[in-house]
Amino acid sequence: MKIIRIMVYQLDMPLSEPYYLSGGRLKFEKLDSTFVRIDTDAGISGWGEGCPWGHTYLPAHGPGIRAGIETLAPFLIGEDPRSLNHINRVMDVQLPGHPYVKSPIDMACWDILGQASGMPLWQLMGGHEAAAVLVNSSISTGSPEEMIARIEKAAAKGYTVHSAKVGGTDIGLDIARIDAISAALPEGHKVTFDVNRAWQPAVAIEVLNSTSARDWVEQPCETLDQCAHVATRVSNPIMLDECMHTFSDHLEAWKRGACEGVKVKPNRVGGLTKALQIRDFGVSVGWQMHIEDLGGSALADTAAIHLAASTPEANRLASWLCHYHLSVDPVPGQGARNDQGVAVPPSLSGLGVAPDPDQFGPAVATYETRA
Ligand code: MG
């Protein structure tokens, strides 16, 4: 089987309401998403989506995906999309780094492999059933009272796991937020306090040693070095997210005892193939993981839910679904959706999501021949 065509579509996806990360440092109003369709000489087509969470969240941005695919496409035409490690080696040789560019291509190749083998991705990734994955709410930062009200609203919709954004310039307010939310949590619910890199190490140590809450704390500081320093000086379990880009970052974090869990996000690490390697490493060292993508429609969300559903339950905490934050839905009725706080991946072969290209307007690029 050979790749004969790569078609690229772009869609601006407005958020239903502006979103503020911890401390209000980063504001987002719309996401720039790239959809990729890969056609093969076997008549099978696969879909992928790459959607960084805005331009300011990570060293990744929407237009960069399209530019990177222009560079990669001539080297992918003619290759067998089912040979996923080979496809990834070709991409890494032709464009070192830029993992977010490669994720939608890798995703579309997984979709083709699944369709060709007649298996859903959750099964190809080692799962034994279309497991129901817990979906976590995302609680925008605010006063303790506002945040508790948002958690109560989410709980009424069936969410039992919450990601609460903390990390402002006021240390006392952060301690108050964490203490109040942890104490007000409904019976059986879990919360992760996501700092999104906002604290300096001394602040992280002061806040976490001043609160009695022992819930998960995510990405307290900017770098892996800083987070590792904090991890040895506090008693909360630490989850790492934005500082983890490569397999080596994960190995280093484990060697240094920097965390008890990680966020596995295909777009951040270069696609499902690399996310699967990281997931398997995480299982082998006993990490607990949130598996979700950086952003995107129900297409990207569904790819991540396949990976989450194939992960042993003991190592899987929850997954966030980006598409609930959007005011558009380019794949209506398809893919993994939140049903009372859980999402189930499709059991159709492949990804199980096939957009109607008319949703996107004309392709912004089509690559068909070897350069
Ligand atoms: Mg995070």
Side-chain angles (χ1 to χ4, degrees), residues 21 57 163 165 194-196 218-219 239-242 263 265 292:
L21 272 184
Y57 175 58
S163 173
K165 308 298 177 184
D194 190 357
V195 190
N196 290 118
E218 182 173 326
Q219 194 73 38
M239 176 152 308
L240 294 180
D241 183 357
E242 290 98 327
K263 287 250 166 123
K265 297 181 177 175
E292 60 203 37

Side-chain angles (χ1 to χ4, degrees), residues 23-41:
R25 293 182 310 151
L26 303 165
K27 182 186 175 191
F28 307 95
E29 289 176 320
K30 68 173 183 181
L31 303 181
D32 174 341
S33 192
T34 300
F35 292 82
V36 176
R37 192 183 86 188
I38 294 181
D39 296 335
T40 64
D41 62 356

Side-chain angles (χ1 to χ4, degrees), residues 65-342:
I65 294 181
R66 274 111 50 202
I69 291 174
E70 184 177 356
T71 298
L72 289 174
F75 300 98
L76 296 168
I77 302 289
E79 295 292 345
D80 189 330
R82 298 169 302 178
S83 300
L84 279 152
N85 287 356
H86 174 70
I87 290 285
N88 274 273
R89 280 196 293 275
V90 168
M91 292 197 287
D92 286 342
V93 166
Q94 299 303 336
L95 186 67
H98 301 277
Y100 64 104
V101 168
K102 300 162 186 172
S103 183
I105 292 171
D106 177 75
M107 192 186 295
C109 291
W110 271 96
D111 188 17
I112 292 167
L113 174 64
Q115 292 178 58
S117 63
M119 284 193 275
L121 294 198
W122 58 258
Q123 190 170 26
L124 279 175
M125 293 171 172
H128 73 291
E129 61 176 347
V133 174
L134 283 171
V135 177
N136 67 271
S137 73
S138 187
I139 306 298
S140 188
T141 198
S143 70
E145 296 73 26
E146 287 166 343
M147 295 181 75
I148 289 169
R150 287 174 194 144
I151 287 176
E152 285 168 354
K153 214 169 143 187
K157 292 180 185 165
Y159 291 98
T160 59
V161 184
H162 310 279
S163 173
K165 308 298 177 184
V166 299
T169 50
D170 184 334
I171 293 176
L173 180 57
D174 268 339
I175 295 168
R177 284 181 179 123
I178 291 170
D179 277 339
I181 291 169
S182 187
L185 217 54
E187 182 73 26
H189 286 223
K190 289 182 182 168
V191 65
T192 295
F193 293 103
D194 190 357
V195 190
N196 290 118
R197 305 166 273 178
W199 289 334
Q200 299 302 314
V203 174
I205 293 164
E206 182 177 348
V207 171
L208 296 179
N209 286 328
S210 301
T211 170
S212 54
R214 288 294 169 262
D215 309 281
W216 284 89
V217 172
E218 182 173 326
Q219 194 73 38
C221 305
E222 184 79 33
T223 68
L224 175 54
D225 284 342
Q226 293 168 344
C227 292
H229 178 90
V230 169
T232 59
R233 290 163 175 80
V234 301
S235 12
N236 301 72
I238 301 288
M239 176 152 308
L240 294 180
D241 183 357
E242 290 98 327
C243 68
M244 309 293 270
H245 300 277
T246 64
F247 185 89
S248 296
D249 291 335
H250 293 75
L251 187 60
E252 184 66 17
W254 174 73
K255 284 197 297 197
R256 296 173 68 172
C259 63
E260 285 74 34
V262 294
K263 287 250 166 123
V264 181
K265 297 181 177 175
N267 196 276
R268 173 158 48 63
V269 301
L272 289 167
T273 301
K274 288 175 178 165
L276 181 60
Q277 292 163 354
I278 290 164
R279 187 281 306 270
D280 286 342
F281 175 73
V283 170
S284 73
V285 298
W287 278 346
Q288 292 182 282
M289 295 171 272
H290 279 250
I291 300 176
E292 60 203 37
D293 217 337
L294 284 187
S297 71
L299 193 152
D301 282 342
T302 299
I305 293 294
H306 277 292
L307 181 60
S310 70
T311 302
E313 199 171 356
N315 301 99
R316 151 166 54 87
L317 287 174
S319 302
W320 166 75
L321 296 175
C322 178
H323 71 267
Y324 280 95
H325 293 267
L326 305 175
S327 62
V328 295
D329 184 355
V331 287
Q334 298 188 53
R337 305 280 169 158
N338 179 21
D339 181 11
Q340 286 295 303
V342 297

